[in-house]
Amino acid sequence: VLTAIVAIDRLDPDAQVAGAPEDLSIDGSRAGIGPGGTYTVRQLLTGLLLNSGNDTAQALARAMGGDAATVAAMAEKARQLGALDTRPATPSGLDGPGMATSAYDLAVLFRHAMGEPLFAETIATREIPFPGYGDRPGFILSNANPLLARYPGTLGSKTGFTDAARHTIVAAAQRNGRRLVVSLVRAENTP
């Protein structure tokens, strides 16, 4: 969520970003970008938010001047928004040295993000065509959000998993003119 906020602030949504070989070996979940592919910032945000694409987070970080510059911008934005327990360490949100956040901060960040039209539109997208790379064809990118189909009034949500945070979710819903944001960290799926 924080990476998306910073990318929306700093990048033109229609700017083009080239895929790179390192996109293929990124840890964790991927949206499916790679060398020989060219993606708009808007497409990379879709991969980031719908599929928790760590590859798209890496590409967005490249477009913003690299990991260090992106993490610094993320830390500054969190501070500006009052997310004072948040210390980013990686553009993808994967665990890194000194990384921390809180359920409260996730709610603060998501509330701000939902005020950004591009973020709100993207997080509510159910599926969208996504370009391939090299000789690989494009495909349909689907939203991994479990609430969109199950909870009436859901505006969007972002799930995540890291070893330190375990299963997380932050979501917004609106009913009868009232909007709520909820966040949960360190959850376990059972069974």
Side-chain angles (χ1 to χ4, degrees):
V1 171
L2 186 52
T3 303
I5 291 169
V6 171
I8 289 168
D9 282 351
R10 294 172 174 249
L11 300 173
D12 175 350
D14 297 315
Q16 301 280 315
V17 179
E22 58 266 24
D23 297 331
L24 301 176
S25 60
I26 195 86
D27 287 337
S29 58
R30 297 181 209 73
I33 68 171
T38 303
Y39 312 90
T40 64
V41 167
R42 186 182 315 272
Q43 288 169 326
L44 293 172
L45 287 167
T46 302
L48 177 71
L49 296 172
L50 270 58
N51 277 78
S52 294
N54 297 333
D55 52 353
T56 57
Q58 194 65 41
L60 288 166
R62 278 196 308 273
M64 291 187 282
D67 287 4
T70 301
V71 169
M74 292 165 67
E76 176 59 23
K77 190 62 163 181
R79 188 192 63 72
Q80 288 173 1
L81 295 175
L84 303 179
D85 292 326
T86 297
R87 292 180 303 279
T90 64
S92 65
L94 290 175
D95 296 329
M99 185 168 171
T101 195
S102 64
Y104 175 83
D105 281 10
L106 288 176
V108 166
L109 296 170
F110 200 74
R111 179 176 184 249
H112 173 80
M114 289 300 290
E116 297 284 345
L118 179 56
F119 183 95
E121 175 187 315
T122 302
I123 203 89
T125 301
R126 291 188 186 254
E127 62 180 29
I128 193 164
F130 199 78
Y133 62 90
D135 62 354
R136 296 179 183 246
F139 54 94
I140 300 296
L141 193 64
S142 298
N143 196 328
N145 174 356
L147 295 178
L148 275 177
R150 294 185 190 157
Y151 190 81
T154 297
L155 300 170
S157 75
K158 179 69 185 81
T159 60
F161 178 86
T162 71
D163 290 337
R166 307 305 296 164
H167 295 277
T168 64
I169 187 169
V170 59
Q174 183 169 318
R175 288 188 184 174
N176 302 320
R178 184 176 194 141
R179 183 178 287 193
L180 296 175
V181 173
V182 63
S183 62
L184 175 69
V185 297
R186 296 209 47 86
E188 295 295 338
N189 281 343
T190 56

